Structure formats: C-alpha cells, structure tokens
C-alpha cells in the first residue's frame, strides 16, 4: 500500500568503527526484519574482507517496516554508505537518495575526521541529521563530551540525542522513533515523468545487473523502457521490487519516494553508473538529477602475477571484480622486468589495497604490485598538455616545460599531544599548513594542502603509527599545482627496470633512490657475477650499490652415492624459477620486487 | 645399462657421533647385533641375483672399522665368493685412525682390501678434539705408516676445512702434514653446518670462518695440492696420476651400484632406491626395509638432469651438446665453465658455485 507520507529514507553515517554496521543490524533485528539468529554479524557488510576490516566498501540498501508509537506502520529504507574517503562520491549519491541521516558518534572517541566529513556531506545534501551517541556500555564512555562535541564542532543540536549501545541492544527503539518523527517523508509526485537516482548496482549472473534506485518523481513499472540519461543506454525493465534483508521482493511498480531495484538484462555495470538518472524513454523528465560525476580513478599501479604463467588467471579475476566495481579500471600492460600484467586505476589507496587483497585472497593469486602513482599533468615545450599515470610514459625531462601534480586538502584530527609530531610529519610530506582548530581541550584538527602522491605513499599507516592509532584522516582533491618533479629510474647491471621507475619530488629523489638501491641490494640474491644496482635521473646515476657475486653454492659431499639432496635442490630451483624474473643474465625473484615495492620506509 | 655393478656396504656404527656429522649411525651396538647385521648384509647382497662383474667395492660408514676386523674380512670373503670381482677391482675400506692396529691392517690387506680411506680431517689435535674425533694426528701418521707396512699402495686421506676456529695458516699446516704422508688421494670437504648435529645446536657460540676466509682456505688447499702433483678431478677429490677413486667416479658416471646395509643408496637397473636409515628395521627384514617397490625408473629428462649435475662434478665434465650453447658461452665468459674439446667442465671457481651453475644449465 503506497503512502508516501509513511516512507522514511535514511542512511547511517559514522567514522570508521563507531558502530554503523552494528546499529544497522540492531534496527533490522528490532523491527523483526530479520530474526536475531540470522544476524550473523553485520548483515549489510556482506563481503568477508569488509567484515574483517570493519569497513563497508559497497553501499547496500534494505527496506523494513516499523510500527511506531503513534500506531502507524512506516516503511523504512536504510541505505548504507561506504565508509572511506576513497568512496566519497558513492557516499554522496547514497545520501542524495535519503531525507535523513543517523550520525553515530562513539561515546569513547567523540567526533572524528570522517564523522565531520560525512556530516558535512549530509548537510550539503540537505539531510535531516539525527545524532546518536553509541557505545554507552563502555566504561570510558563520555556521552556529555560526545554531545558537546557534536554541538560545538558540527553545529547541530545534540543534547537530546539517543544514547545507545548498538552492541548490547540498548535504546534501539529511541533511534527508530526519532527516524519516524524527525526524518521528513520524501517529496515527489508519482504522476510526474520518471526521475530515479541510481545509487548502487551489482552484477548477478542470472539477472544481469541489479540496479538500486531511489525514485524521486514518477513511477517505474515492469515492462517500461527506461533510459539512463548520462550514458544514453536504454533497457526494458524485466523485474522491479524492494530490497529485503535477505532477498529481493518483486513488485510491479515503484513509486516516487520509494527505494528499490530493477533488472533489465543489463550486461555491463558500466551502463548503470552511480549517480545517473533513470527516466522513461517515451516520457522523459526534463533534466537529469544534479550532481552526476564520472568517477575518475586517482591512483594507478601495475599488477603482475608473481608467477608469470598466471596472467590468464589474473585477467579473469580482474574481470570478475569489475562486474561489481565500475570504479576499477584496468588495461593490459607489459613490463620488461615483470612480463605481462595490468595497469589498474583505483579511487584511492584503500580501494587499491582492497582490490589487491581480494585478488590474492578470493582468487588465490600471488601478485607484484608496483608503486602507486597519481596522475601528473605535464605541459610540454610545444604547449601540449600530457597526463601521465605511468612512470614508463614520462617524457624526456628536456621536453617538459612545466610539471604539475594533484593536490588535496587533508584534514587530520589528532589528540593534542600528537600535534607536534603530526605537524612535523605533514611538513615532511610537503604539506602546506592551512589551519588548526582545537575541537575541544583534547583534540585538534589540522588542515594541510598536500600532494596526493604523498598521501598514497603510505601516509595513513605512518600517521596512525605516529599517533598510537588515534589520528584520523580525510582528504579531498583540490586540483593541480606546479611542482618540481623528476622520474627516477632503477638499473640492474646497467639495464633499466621499468617496473621500478617512479615519479618523485626532486628534493626527495636522492633519499628515495638510496633507500631503493639499498633494499634491492639486500633483497636480490647473489648472482654468479657482481651486480651493480643504480638509481638514475635522466641517465645520471645518483645512487649505487653492489650485489656481490656468489662465492659459494655447492654440495661438497654426496656420500655413498646418495644424490637425493642434489635432486631436491634442483626441484627447489625449478620451483623458484617460476617466481624468478630474468632480464639479460640477471635473475631476480618476485619476492625482491615485493620487498622493494612494499613502502614501509618511514618506520 | 652398465655392464658392471659396484657394491657399497654401509656400517652405521660409531663409538660416538662427530660434532659435524648428520649421517645415520648408532652410537652403540652389541656384538650380537653386529653379527646379525653381518648376516643381514649377506642376505641382502645375495637377493639381487647380481651376476655382472664388480669393478669396485666400498665399505663405508659410519665407522666400518668399528664393526670388527674379523667381520669385515668375513664379509669380503663372502663377496669374493658370490660376486665376480674384476681382476683390477678396487676395494676400499674407510678407516678411523683410532681403531686399527698394525696387525689389523695386515689382516685387512691380506683379506683383499687394497685401498684405505683414512679419516684424518686435520693435523691440529685441538681442532680434532673440537670436532669430536677420537684420534690425534699422531694416530693418523701411525695408521698410514702401518698401512704402508701392511702393503697398502693406495691411501686416501680425508680433510676438512672451513671449520669453526680454523685459520688459513692452520689449514695450510694440515694440508702440508697430509702431504708429508704421501697419500695417493685426498678428499677435502668444506664443513657444512647440518641440522641435527652438535655444531648446529651450539652454532651461536662457534666462530665460523667468514666467506672471505673460507675462499682463501679453499684457494690455498687447491694450490698446495696442485703444486704437489695432485689433480683436482672432482669437486672434493684430488688424486695422483692413476689413483682416482674408481668407486666414487661411478656415482658421477651414473654406473650401477648396489647399496647394502641400513641407509645405503642404490642406483641399479635404471632405478634409484635406498634402505631405511633404521638399524632395527633393517635387521628385522633386510629384504624389504627399502623403497625399491616405490622407485620408478628414471625417465629421459631426469636422466639428462642427472648426467649434467653429476657429470659436472668431475673435471671431465659433460658433452657440450647436452646443454645450450648460449648458456655455455655466457658461463665461459664468466670464468665458471671451460671448454675441453667436445666437453665442457666447471672451473675451480665454477665448482664453488656449482649448484647455481647447474641450476641455470638445467632450467
């Protein structure tokens, strides 16, 4: 029974680990949408990896009914949002599909960087924000502090915010009541032309792409021919419905204000871009919903199988991941050193790590991932502008008139006792100080303008280790700035190893060069000859180390005709060979590349 | 297929285990056990029905001289009776200088043993003690003299280098002392630290020579022996003209040999197999305490691998046609391999890194 006044569409937003998924589970459990025994832990995060990292990567949505104290039964649509800075655009689209947002703040930690970022995004989307103080069951909980921080820092009233423990199931009903009373019912007219927002989609091998939408205006029915306004693709709707916790609930028609899904034998997730507007081919709406953006990858790296023969497996795995992740882009790439692999683009470093880990874990691949690179903008002497995301394509330095790099505005929230170390660290990473605000007596927010490539280079992990895990980070791109960049090449035995080249701020080049040649020296096994390891800029060597020649590798004794050890050794050599990269007469095991490319040099 | 078969008898008995040794041995066995072992050896030796001529017999260990001279001679008589030894057969006995008296040596020589491999290891008595050896250099000298007296004309001395606490001058002295005894053959092994040895357990407290020192010791050893007229004919073996160990060369030439006794290895009629390294199990069933049934015939690829990796242990090397000419020219230019007519062989430097070189040739 469609009654737009009884619909509440909302999201839950929070800093990582503040209890978003746990609260979602409790809401579903409380309203009977799922039996408590089914709540195996965080229903909405249904990827193993997400659960492990405690973060939501892909948005999901679920509809459930709630009989409120006013005697009416409401249809609640919870739209989950990805919880990391890399997925900012997806978060913003999910929020657009809502009228309200439950803002969870951990009573033991208060407002954190992503609390702020998410809250601002909700404000920008004109959402009603319902603050909720979570984890009141913990001994260190300070609900008053948390409330004050919400009022002082975010600037929304919070004194009567529900104080709950999602984990223990305390005061869950308060949250539900607040959703019903405070979140406005959606606006929209089912008689107007269809205008629906795509906020997520996934690939199902039977149905094709399942598209998650929020109908803003009009209605969508099975049999309609719909058009995606930005991609122009047209499809006939095969199935439509709402989203239950465990299943899709088929319906003939979805009306304005509702959240649901449709399928239309769509083969590629690329046709259902998040943020696109769905309308009817024969009765289109006047214009698409605002805010659409084609998501551009910001971080790039080469991914290669450690065992070169696994190239086909890697390709298949990437294709499978891409079915459900349109923001993952990749194209074949060949490296002299690493053989056949893929150049992959990611939304950010976390996105890259997740893909890397899923490839290794779900597809059982062993990978070499080259140093992440951002997109540099190069103005050549002849005036042409070049965008380079792969160091291999970096032009001869004499041709470059001006090099520019992407910058971000980074916000770091840290306990005040770490302000000194954090400032020093940001300075080391070429940050330009913008501002510092004391959020309260114990915490401060630092704002820096910073090169993105410093952020992708192990920034977050180092920040965490410098602040005993307390600092939080958020950042947003703010465009390109001129920078003094050079391309650093690594040579083994005089031959350039393309996979190890990278683009670096020139003042930083020497230190990085030294570290890399030292790491290579320590990780390349001795060869049959002395092996020079060099780092060079434009042909000029700036650092050199030597891997000494192997002096002894012999089984002196083969007693009594027992040659089993020799044979075992040969088997081991054969095994090792599969993971060995040869160029010229140099043999380097994949492990050496992995060790060098692992960026832990700030520890 | 070989037209001949060599015999190897293993004696896993030692009074005590040397600190560096990881080979199978038992520290103590009763006379009755040794008698039973003798029977077991005979039983297994006969079981193969081997009728081809036998050009070499080797009694190794463990410590064969710990088995008792009368049992050793008994066994050799048995071998003479049941196998057709070639007229020039080489019959080697490994001897611990602490074990054999001049009378024993005379008995052994009379029984037909014609080559002794004497475990000298070093001429530094303190070093010998630290290795857990039971003898002094004087014992070695006495054994050599008595062996000559008894009529042995083919003596080999075992030396160890790169030992914890061993210096370059110390090694040089040992080599000179060994040379002073005029052996026909010398085997020299660099110490390999093996798990399960006393040295391995106490490795943290031992001062092993550095890589540089070890290389210097090896170089000194090679040049002292070369100057004294010994030919470096295999990774660890040096011989005067005409005294290469025929038995050991069979291993590298892939000739057939039967390994008899607990833990002994065989290569016979195209199969490699071994007896269990377990004295009791072997005594219980000398005919079945082995993996012969599981052993598969060596296939062509494996045979090629063996030919290359074993052949390259010797100075004759392998036919160049067995490996890629590209590899050869690269390794020759690195000074690791040398062309010898239609053969290629490792150089002295090449031997030092032979595992890696062989790996490259075979992969």
């Amino acid at each position: 029974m469609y009654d737009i006044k009884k619909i509440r569409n909302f999201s839950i937003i929070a800093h990582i680990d503040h209890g978003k998924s746990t609260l979602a589970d409790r809401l579903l459990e409380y309203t009977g949408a799922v039996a408590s025994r089914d709540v195996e832990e965080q229903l909405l995060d249904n990827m193993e990896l997400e659960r492990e990292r405690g973060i939501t990567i892909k948005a999901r949505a679920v509809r459930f009914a709630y009989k409120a104290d006013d005697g009416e039964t409401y249809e609640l649509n919870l739209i989950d949002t990805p919880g990391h800075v890399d997925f900012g655009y997806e978060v913003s689209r999910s929020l657009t599909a809502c009228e309200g947002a439950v803002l969870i703040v951990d009573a033991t930690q208060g407002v954190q960087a992503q609390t702020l970022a998410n809250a601002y995004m909700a404000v920008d989307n004109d959402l009603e924000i319902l603050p909720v103080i979570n984890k009141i069951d913990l001994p260190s909980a300070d609900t008053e502090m948390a409330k004050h921080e919400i009022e002082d820092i975010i600037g929304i009233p919070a004194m009567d915010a529900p104080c709950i423990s999602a984990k223990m199931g305390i005061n869950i009903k308060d949250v539900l009541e607040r959703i019903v009373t405070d979140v406005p019912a959606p606006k929209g007219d089912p008689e107007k032309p269809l205008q629906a927002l795509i906020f997520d989609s996934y690939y199902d091998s039977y149905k094709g792409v399942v598209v998650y939408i929020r109908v803003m205006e009009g209605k969508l029915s099975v049999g309609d021919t719909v058009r995606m306004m930005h991609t122009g693709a047209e499809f006939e709707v095969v199935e439509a419905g709402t989203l239950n916790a465990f299943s899709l609930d088929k319906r003939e028609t979805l009306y304005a204000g509702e959240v649901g899904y449709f399928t239309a034998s769509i083969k590629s997730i690329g046709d259902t871009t998040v943020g696109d507007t769905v309308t009817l081919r024969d009765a289109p709406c006047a214009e698409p919903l605002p805010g659409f953006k084609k998501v551009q990858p910001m971080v790039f790296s080469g991914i290669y199988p450690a065992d070169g023969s696994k190239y086909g497996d890697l390709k298949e795995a990437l294709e499978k991941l891409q079915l459900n992740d349109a923001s993952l882009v990749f194209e074949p790439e060949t490296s002299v050193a690493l053989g056949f692999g893929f150049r992959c683009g990611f939304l950010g470093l976390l996105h890259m790590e997740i893909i890397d880990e899923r490839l290794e874990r779900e597809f059982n691949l062993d990978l070499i991932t080259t140093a992440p690179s951002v997109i540099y903008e190069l103005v050549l002497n002849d005036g042409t502008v070049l965008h380079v995301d792969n160091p291999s394509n970096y032009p001869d330095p004499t041709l470059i008139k001006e090099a520019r790099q992407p910058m971000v505005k980074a916000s770091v929230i840290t306990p005040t006792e770490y302000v000194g170390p954090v400032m020093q660290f940001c300075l080391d990473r070429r940050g330009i100080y913008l501002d510092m605000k004391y959020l309260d007596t114990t915490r401060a927010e630092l704002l820096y303008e910073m090169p993105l490539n410093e952020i992708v280079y192990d920034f977050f992990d180092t920040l965490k280790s410098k602040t005993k895990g307390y600092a939080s980070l958020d950042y947003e791109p703010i465009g390109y700035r001129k920078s003094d960049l050079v391309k650093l090449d690594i040579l083994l035995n005089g031959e350039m190893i393309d996979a190890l080249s990278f683009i670096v701020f020139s003042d930083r080049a020497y230190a990085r060069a030294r570290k890399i040649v030292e790491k290579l020296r320590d990780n390349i096994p001795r060869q049959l000859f002395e092996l020079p390891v060099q780092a060079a800029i434009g042909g000029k060597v700036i650092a050199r180390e030597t891997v000494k020649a192997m002096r002894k590798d012999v089984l002196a004794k083969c007693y009594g005709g027992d040659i089993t050890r020799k044979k075992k050794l040969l088997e081991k050599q054969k095994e090792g060979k599969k993971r060995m990269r040869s160029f010229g007469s140099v043999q380097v095991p994949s492990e050496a590349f992995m060790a060098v490319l692992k960026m832990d040099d700030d520890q | 297929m070989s037209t001949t078969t060599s015999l190897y008898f293993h004696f896993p008995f030692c009074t005590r285990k040397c600190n560096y040794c990881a080979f199978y041995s038992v520290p103590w066995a009763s006379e009755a056990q040794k008698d039973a072992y003798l029977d077991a050896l005979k039983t297994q030796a006969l079981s193969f029905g081997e009728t081809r001529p036998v050009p070499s017999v080797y009694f190794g260990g463990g410590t064969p001289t710990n088995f008792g001279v009368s049992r050793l001679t008994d066994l050799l008589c048995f071998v003479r009776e049941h196998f057709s030894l070639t007229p020039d057969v080489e019959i080697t006995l490994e001897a611990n200088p602490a074990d054999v008296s001049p009378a024993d040596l005379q008995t052994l020589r009379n029984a037909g043993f014609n080559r002794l491999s004497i475990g000298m290891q070093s001429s530094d008595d303190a070093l010998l003690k630290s290795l857990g050896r039971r003898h002094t250099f004087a014992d070695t000298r006495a054994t050599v003299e008595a062996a000559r007296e008894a009529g042995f004309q083919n003596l080999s001395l075992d030396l160890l280098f790169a030992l914890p606490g061993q210096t370059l001058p110390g090694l040089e002295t040992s080599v000179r002392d060994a040379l002073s005894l005029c052996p026909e053959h010398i085997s020299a092994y660099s110490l390999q630290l093996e798990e399960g040895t006393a040295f391995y357990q106490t490795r943290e407290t031992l001062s092993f020579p550095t890589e540089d020192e070890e290389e210097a010791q090896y170089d000194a050893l090679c040049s002292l022996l070369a100057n004294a007229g010994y030919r470096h004919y295999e990774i660890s073996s040096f011989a005067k003209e005409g005294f290469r160990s025929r038995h050991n060369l069979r291993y590298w030439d892939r000739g057939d040999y039967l390994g008899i006794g607990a833990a002994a290895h065989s290569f016979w009629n195209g199969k490699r197999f071994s007896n269990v390294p377990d004295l009791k199990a072997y005594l219980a069933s000398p005919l079945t305490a082995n993996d012969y049934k599981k052993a598969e015939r060596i296939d062509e690829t494996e045979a090629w691998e063996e030919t290359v990796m074993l052949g390259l242990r010797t100075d004759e090397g392998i036919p160049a046609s067995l490996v890629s000419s590209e590899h050869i020219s690269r390794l020759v230019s690195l000074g690791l391999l040398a062309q010898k007519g239609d053969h290629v062989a490792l150089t002295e430097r090449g031997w030092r890194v032979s595992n890696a070189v062989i790996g490259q040739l075979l992969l």
Side-chain angles (χ1 to χ4, degrees):
Chain A
M1 194 127 34
Y2 170 66
D3 178 357
I4 195 167
K5 290 195 279 305
K6 301 277 174 59
I7 299 173
R8 297 292 182 271
N9 298 319
F10 71 101
S11 282
I12 305 176
I13 53 180
H15 187 70
I16 191 165
D17 282 342
H18 279 197
K20 187 175 70 162
S21 303
T22 316
L23 176 59
D25 291 348
R26 285 297 163 266
L27 296 179
L28 298 179
E29 200 183 292
Y30 187 88
T31 56
V34 297
S36 55
R37 66 188 147 79
D38 292 335
V39 181
E40 196 184 310
E41 248 190 58
Q42 306 184 0
L43 278 175
L44 286 169
D45 290 357
N46 43 20
M47 278 192 260
E48 182 191 353
L49 188 64
E50 294 180 7
R51 222 176 273 167
E52 224 163 84
R53 292 182 162 222
I55 47 173
T56 318
I57 299 155
K58 291 289 289 175
R60 290 282 181 269
V62 60
R63 171 175 176 269
F64 55 102
Y66 171 62
K67 189 159 193 284
D69 285 350
D70 63 6
E72 301 284 345
T73 299
Y74 292 85
E75 173 189 331
L76 271 50
N77 287 299
L78 164 56
I79 297 167
D80 201 16
T81 56
H84 189 273
V85 289
D86 286 355
F87 305 94
Y89 174 70
E90 295 190 2
V91 176
S92 84
R93 291 308 89 195
S94 289
L95 294 181
T96 307
C98 304
E99 278 75 40
V102 173
L103 175 69
I104 307 183
V105 174
D106 183 329
T108 68
Q109 292 189 10
V111 171
Q112 294 288 336
Q114 286 159 37
T115 319
L116 267 183
N118 284 315
Y120 291 150
M121 212 182 273
V123 170
D124 289 346
N125 280 285
D126 290 327
L127 301 195
E128 181 68 28
I129 300 177
L130 311 181
V132 166
I133 313 299
N134 190 21
K135 303 196 187 178
I136 59 163
D137 57 305
L138 295 182
S140 56
D142 186 345
T143 54
E144 290 311 304
M145 176 272 305
K147 287 177 179 177
H148 278 291
E149 282 192 3
I150 294 170
E151 298 210 329
D152 297 348
I153 301 165
I154 305 173
I156 55 173
M159 280 311 148
D160 59 348
C163 295
I164 68 162
S165 165
K167 194 171 147 218
M168 313 298 290
I170 301 167
N171 294 340
I172 302 304
K173 187 176 170 225
D174 291 359
V175 181
L176 288 161
E177 279 300 317
R178 206 56 78 81
I179 291 167
V180 167
T181 56
D182 291 13
V183 174
K187 294 189 188 78
D189 180 353
E191 299 312 319
K192 281 191 178 172
L194 174 67
Q195 195 181 36
L197 172 77
I198 300 177
F199 63 88
D200 196 9
S201 60
Y202 72 91
Y203 185 81
D204 179 287
S205 42
Y206 297 104
K207 298 178 176 176
V209 179
V210 177
V211 189
Y212 285 21
I213 53 167
R214 155 71 197 271
V215 183
M216 296 303 201
E217 301 286 354
K219 55 181 183 286
L220 176 143
S221 301
V222 173
D224 285 349
T225 299
V226 292
R227 184 161 84 220
M228 314 295 169
M229 294 185 77
H230 287 283
T231 64
E234 294 181 355
F235 302 96
E236 187 183 322
V237 176
V238 173
E239 186 184 316
T242 55
L243 308 149
N244 286 350
F246 292 114
S247 61
L248 302 174
D249 197 4
K250 286 186 200 172
R251 287 231 318 244
E252 272 303 300
T253 305
L254 291 171
Y255 298 96
E258 289 193 307
V259 171
Y261 76 96
F262 74 89
T263 69
S265 304
I266 303 170
K267 291 194 181 57
S268 162
I269 204 164
D271 287 329
T272 55
T273 322
V274 167
D276 203 348
T277 303
V278 184
T279 192
L280 294 180
R281 182 190 63 191
D282 298 331
C285 58
E287 52 190 45
L289 294 158
F292 175 82
K293 208 163 77 174
K294 181 114 185 74
V295 180
Q296 297 292 350
M298 306 217 329
V299 176
F300 295 81
S301 76
I303 295 187
Y304 294 83
D307 170 353
S309 67
K310 296 273 165 67
Y311 173 79
D313 295 0
L314 174 59
K315 179 163 185 272
E316 206 171 295
L318 281 167
E319 282 166 354
K320 279 195 179 146
L321 287 183
Q322 201 182 39
L323 279 179
N324 277 316
D325 185 354
S327 51
L328 167 66
V329 297
F330 61 90
E331 57 183 43
E333 175 181 78
T334 314
S335 151
V336 179
L338 300 180
F340 294 104
F342 293 93
R343 190 81 190 158
C344 301
F346 310 95
L347 297 177
L349 198 62
L350 178 89
H351 189 211
M352 170 175 136
E353 283 174 8
I354 287 166
I355 296 292
D356 210 44
E357 227 172 299
R358 290 188 66 187
L359 287 171
E360 299 209 345
R361 208 189 286 196
E362 292 168 31
F363 298 91
N364 209 9
L365 291 163
D366 205 1
L367 303 172
I368 303 174
T369 305
T370 65
S373 173
V374 299
I375 304 178
Y376 295 97
E377 194 172 84
L378 305 171
V379 184
L380 304 185
N381 292 329
D382 64 6
T384 45
V385 177
L386 211 60
H387 286 94
V388 175
D389 66 62
N390 186 342
S392 302
N393 301 334
Y394 203 80
D396 186 297
T398 58
L399 301 176
I400 302 170
K401 188 166 150 211
E402 184 177 308
R404 299 171 185 155
Q405 64 175 338
M407 302 295 290
V408 296
K409 188 169 140 191
S411 149
V412 176
I413 295 184
T414 172
T416 47
E417 67 227 74
Y418 301 115
V419 162
V422 170
M423 290 180 95
Q424 185 57 50
F425 175 55
C426 290
L427 196 68
D428 291 345
R429 291 302 185 89
R430 295 187 286 145
I432 299 162
Y433 174 85
L434 297 176
D435 196 10
M436 177 167 88
K437 286 180 244 174
Y438 279 90
L439 302 180
D440 53 43
T441 51
T442 61
R443 279 163 340 114
E445 180 186 22
L446 293 161
L447 289 173
Y448 277 86
E449 185 179 308
M450 195 167 279
L452 177 63
N453 71 3
E454 294 288 348
I455 299 270
V456 302
Y457 188 77
D458 194 37
F459 184 86
F460 190 52
D461 286 347
T462 312
L463 178 69
K464 281 276 185 194
S465 76
K466 284 190 188 298
T467 58
K468 295 213 168 74
Y470 284 113
S472 57
L473 167 74
D474 195 70
Y475 62 85
E476 56 178 299
I478 52 169
Y480 280 84
R481 298 266 192 290
K482 183 178 171 193
S483 182
D484 198 2
L485 300 170
V486 293
K487 179 189 170 209
L488 195 64
D489 293 318
I490 305 297
L491 298 87
L492 291 185
N493 207 25
E495 274 184 65
M496 195 175 96
I497 307 307
D498 55 358
L500 293 178
S501 295
F502 57 95
I503 298 163
V504 61
F505 181 57
S506 68
D507 283 7
R508 196 61 60 76
Y510 181 72
R512 286 280 295 277
R514 278 246 50 89
K515 269 182 187 142
I516 290 213
V517 295
E518 281 165 18
K519 267 193 171 180
L520 280 169
R521 177 201 61 199
D522 294 342
N523 283 286
I524 294 177
R526 293 185 168 198
Q527 311 281 315
L528 288 169
F529 47 89
E530 199 168 86
L531 175 69
V533 180
Q534 296 159 305
I537 296 170
K540 183 169 169 270
V541 173
I542 62 166
R544 180 195 157 114
E545 283 291 335
T546 305
V547 180
K548 285 191 190 161
M550 178 192 297
R551 315 263 292 271
K552 185 192 173 191
D553 183 13
V554 59
L555 278 181
K557 231 169 170 163
C558 275
Y559 191 81
D562 176 7
I563 65 161
T564 48
R565 290 181 86 173
K566 277 208 78 79
K567 290 191 133 182
K568 272 185 198 151
L569 180 78
L570 182 65
E571 288 314 307
K572 232 174 102 184
Q573 286 174 324
K574 281 183 187 167
E575 253 334 281
K577 169 92 174 180
K578 288 187 192 160
R579 302 173 60 82
M580 205 67 89
R581 308 290 169 159
S582 319
F583 22 94
S585 46
V586 184
Q587 300 215 327
V588 180
S590 295
E591 282 69 21
F593 286 105
M594 293 179 190
V596 172
L597 291 167
K598 215 173 96 198
M599 292 166 298
D600 54 0
D601 61 356
D602 287 290
Q603 308 303 314
Chain B
M1 200 63 54
S2 313
T3 54
T4 57
T5 300
S6 288
L7 298 178
Y8 174 82
F9 290 92
H10 191 69
F11 300 88
F13 307 100
C14 288
T15 309
R16 62 156 293 181
K17 204 165 189 82
C18 298
N19 295 335
Y20 54 87
C21 177
F23 291 116
Y24 175 69
S25 70
V26 291
W28 186 86
S30 67
E31 293 303 304
Q33 260 180 324
K34 287 180 183 172
D35 286 339
Y37 191 69
L38 179 60
D39 289 341
L41 292 177
K42 290 176 179 174
T43 307
Q44 195 193 7
L46 284 182
S47 69
F48 296 99
E50 178 57 75
T51 56
R52 286 175 285 178
V54 173
S56 69
V57 182
Y58 199 102
F59 284 33
T63 316
T65 46
N66 185 289
F67 192 54
V69 169
S70 62
R71 288 190 196 92
L72 293 173
T73 53
D74 180 331
L75 182 59
L76 185 54
C77 286
F78 172 86
V79 168
R80 288 181 171 287
E81 197 179 319
H82 292 93
F83 292 86
S84 48
L85 307 190
T86 61
D88 60 346
V89 63
E90 174 192 277
I91 305 176
T92 306
L93 173 68
E94 285 183 350
N96 186 311
D99 285 345
V100 281
S101 67
D104 290 339
L105 288 167
Q106 193 60 63
T107 309
L108 291 163
R109 179 69 196 93
N110 293 346
F113 289 97
N114 56 24
R115 184 171 181 271
L116 285 184
S117 170
I118 300 168
M120 165 179 166
Q121 318 308 359
S122 169
S123 66
D124 180 337
D125 289 346
L127 205 57
L128 287 170
K129 206 170 167 198
S130 76
L131 294 172
R133 300 292 296 181
R134 295 176 288 127
H135 56 87
T136 61
F137 176 56
D139 292 330
T140 300
R141 186 193 300 278
T143 302
V144 169
E145 283 167 2
R148 294 292 188 208
E149 197 64 32
F152 282 97
Q153 289 169 1
N154 187 352
L155 298 181
S156 177
L157 296 177
D158 275 358
L159 291 177
L160 286 172
F161 66 101
L163 296 168
Q166 192 172 37
T167 60
L168 177 60
L171 181 270
E172 287 173 335
T173 305
S174 276
V175 175
R176 287 201 185 91
D177 287 340
L179 288 173
S180 75
L181 302 179
C182 302
E184 282 70 30
H185 186 281
I186 286 178
S187 295
Y189 304 104
S190 69
L191 182 85
Q192 284 176 21
L193 188 61
E194 308 268 6
E195 270 184 67
T197 60
F199 271 0
Y200 190 82
Q201 301 235 310
T202 55
R203 62 193 182 280
E204 306 290 339
T205 65
L206 301 172
S207 67
F208 292 95
T210 63
E211 204 172 42
D212 284 344
E213 287 166 340
E214 184 179 339
E215 195 169 37
Q217 289 190 13
Y218 176 77
D219 289 345
L221 177 94
C222 291
S223 69
L224 282 170
L225 293 180
N227 291 340
Y230 292 80
R231 170 92 190 167
H232 194 172
Y233 73 95
E234 189 266 343
I235 287 185
S236 312
S237 309
F238 303 79
K240 289 202 163 158
E241 184 66 40
F243 287 96
R244 297 177 177 219
S245 164
R246 289 163 59 186
H247 188 82
N248 283 339
L249 282 173
R250 285 193 78 80
Y251 299 149
W252 322 132
D253 294 346
R254 299 186 74 240
D256 275 18
Y257 51 92
L258 280 170
I260 295 153
H265 286 253
S266 302
F267 177 47
W268 191 67
N269 287 337
K271 290 183 177 182
R272 291 193 184 272
F273 52 95
S274 62
N275 299 327
V276 287
D278 181 336
L279 182 61
K280 280 193 183 143
Y282 181 76
L283 286 176
S285 58
L287 297 185
T288 53
N290 57 58
D291 57 7
Y292 180 73
K293 280 200 171 138
K294 276 196 299 179
E296 282 182 30
R297 195 168 278 278
I298 303 286
D299 67 25
E300 221 172 289
T301 311
E302 221 177 336
W304 167 71
E305 287 172 356
E306 286 187 9
T307 305
V308 172
M309 81 172 138
L310 299 176
L312 284 174
R313 289 186 71 94
T314 70
D315 63 345
E316 297 219 333
I318 53 169
S321 57
L322 286 181
V323 291
S324 96
S325 54
E326 215 175 293
H327 279 319
I328 292 176
S329 56
R330 187 166 51 80
L331 292 165
V332 166
S333 75
L334 289 171
L336 300 171
L337 213 56
Q339 295 262 15
K340 294 185 172 178
D342 59 354
H343 273 53
V344 286
L346 290 171
T347 61
E348 299 243 314
R349 262 197 62 219
W351 268 330
R352 292 282 290 157
V353 291
S354 55
N355 291 344
V357 175
I358 289 165
Q360 295 204 357
L361 289 172
L362 290 182
L363 299 179

